[in-house]
Amino acid sequence: MMKQPYYWIVVLLVAMIISADVASSLASLSLSSSSFTRVLPPLASKHTRAQTSIFRQSTNTNSNLQMNAAILPTTYRLLAAGSVYRAISLATTDISSTVVLLSTSIAAFVNLAPEASMQLASAKRAQTQKLKDSKAWRSIVRVKIVGQFMGLVLSAIGGFALGGASCCVAADAAFWALGAGDVRFQCCDDDESEGGTVSGGGVKRAPVPGSVARVLLSINVAMLLSTLLGSLVMFGRQTKSSILLRKVGAALYCFGVLTQTIGDVTVRRRGKKERMR
């Protein structure tokens, strides 16, 4: 059961996201409305207006990307901190939940936050440039982010360790099941940072081989089944077998998510070193 003092955290996080979208929309309206009062030179007016429109569209896109890059990782990491708090509070009574919550917080802070930010940035850039499959990629990225956000909220605010883990893993499984490997885009700026803060507009197709995508989907489905099984046995009679199943599910999740985190961070750092050469 969620305790009353934690309701304000949900309100704060939702307000942050809504205010960002509202501010972004107001900025876009402000720039577009200013075109009615600006006096353009009489010569080559069509060419000038076209250049001005492209410049404003690029400015709006970069502004929105920077805003999302700042808010999304911060939200993830706030929820990761909440998961750590929950893990500490359960340390003396439920060691399995403690380990699961700590694993979720590590993954969210180190891996999920920058990855979600960069994927959302690539999705918006691809859609702005109206590239093929950009809408599909953006929809898949949104599904993944919503699922991860729900899982982190359950972990940090509700204290549901395996329930939150199930949502996070289900988001990854849906990501690959919906065909993310075929429609994947990637930001390709020289100044792209690990934290997801991007300032340019470069984006490129970066599909994942079908065999790799199927392996990743299989791993996530196996992790999802283990976390679901471990979380469902909590609602029944607590027997030795149910306690064992819960511990096995927690162990498989922790091993899988930490292994994935280490692998993803290693790949990003390797790519960063290659770009710096």
Side-chain angles (χ1 to χ4, degrees), residues 4 17 24 45 52 65 79 81 85 88 108 115 134 150 213 230 259 275:
Q4 184 69 24
I17 298 173
S24 172
S45 58
T52 303
L65 290 176
L79 292 171
Y85 171 79
I88 295 173
E115 184 179 65
S134 59
M150 290 175 59
T259 302
R275 290 193 299 269

Side-chain angles (χ1 to χ4, degrees), residues 4 27-28 38 45 64 68 73 83 88 94 99 110 163 169 194 212 231-232 241 249 252 256 258 269 273-274:
Q4 184 69 24
S28 178
R38 182 174 179 180
S45 58
N64 292 338
N68 285 318
S83 298
I88 295 173
D94 190 349
V99 175
V110 176
V169 177
E194 186 176 338
V212 176
S231 59
L232 289 177
S241 58
L252 289 175
L258 292 178
R269 288 183 176 177
K273 289 181 180 179
E274 291 177 357

Side-chain angles (χ1 to χ4, degrees), residues 204-225:
K204 64 180 180 181
R205 290 296 297 263
V208 177
S211 58
V212 176
R214 286 191 293 270
V215 170
L216 294 173
L217 174 60
S218 300
I219 293 174
N220 281 283
V221 169
M223 290 173 58
L224 177 60
L225 291 176

Side-chain angles (χ1 to χ4, degrees), residues 225-240:
L225 291 176
S226 65
T227 54
L228 284 175
L229 184 61
S231 59
L232 289 177
V233 296
M234 293 178 59
F235 298 100
R237 182 182 176 184
Q238 296 299 303
T239 62
K240 290 184 178 180

Side-chain angles (χ1 to χ4, degrees), residues 8-258:
W8 68 269
I9 301 179
V10 180
V11 176
L12 176 61
L13 293 175
V14 174
M16 288 171 60
I17 298 173
I18 294 177
S19 62
D21 291 337
V22 172
S24 172
S25 301
L26 290 176
S28 178
L29 288 173
S30 175
L31 286 172
S32 60
S33 62
S34 64
S35 61
F36 292 100
T37 58
R38 182 174 179 180
V39 179
L40 297 175
L43 297 177
S45 58
K46 291 184 179 180
H47 179 68
T48 304
R49 282 196 296 268
Q51 287 183 335
T52 303
S53 176
I54 293 173
F55 174 76
R56 285 172 180 162
Q57 185 177 12
S58 176
T59 302
N60 291 341
T61 302
N62 292 336
S63 175
N64 292 338
L65 290 176
Q66 291 172 358
M67 184 175 296
N68 285 318
I71 290 177
L72 197 58
T74 301
T75 305
Y76 271 56
R77 284 163 180 157
L78 283 173
L79 292 171
S83 298
V84 172
Y85 171 79
R86 284 292 188 178
I88 295 173
S89 65
L90 295 173
T92 57
T93 58
D94 190 349
I95 189 63
S96 296
S97 293
T98 297
V99 175
V100 169
L101 289 170
L102 288 176
S103 299
T104 300
S105 64
I106 292 172
F109 194 91
V110 176
N111 185 35
L112 301 185
E115 184 179 65
S117 182
M118 288 187 289
Q119 287 178 346
L120 183 60
S122 67
K124 290 204 168 188
R125 290 183 181 187
Q127 190 174 30
T128 299
Q129 299 179 24
K130 297 181 180 180
L131 300 178
K132 183 181 177 181
D133 295 327
S134 59
K135 290 184 178 179
W137 172 241
R138 187 177 185 183
S139 298
I140 293 173
V141 169
R142 283 181 169 179
V143 169
K144 181 181 179 181
I145 291 175
V146 169
Q148 290 177 346
F149 183 80
M150 290 175 59
L152 293 174
V153 168
L154 285 174
S155 299
I157 300 176
F160 304 115
L162 284 173
S166 298
C167 285
C168 291
V169 177
D172 281 344
F175 180 76
W176 296 111
L178 291 172
D182 295 331
V183 298
R184 179 172 176 262
F185 285 87
Q186 183 178 356
C187 296
C188 55
D189 296 319
D190 293 334
D191 58 346
E192 181 180 343
S193 66
E194 186 176 338
T197 302
V198 287
S199 58
V203 65
K204 64 180 180 181
R205 290 296 297 263
V208 177
S211 58
V212 176
R214 286 191 293 270
V215 170
L216 294 173
L217 174 60
S218 300
I219 293 174
N220 281 283
V221 169
M223 290 173 58
L224 177 60
L225 291 176
S226 65
T227 54
L228 284 175
L229 184 61
S231 59
L232 289 177
V233 296
M234 293 178 59
F235 298 100
R237 182 182 176 184
Q238 296 299 303
T239 62
K240 290 184 178 180
S241 58
S242 64
I243 293 174
L244 179 61
L245 285 174
R246 184 165 177 263
K247 289 182 178 180
V248 170
L252 289 175
Y253 167 76
C254 294
F255 176 78
V257 75
L258 292 178

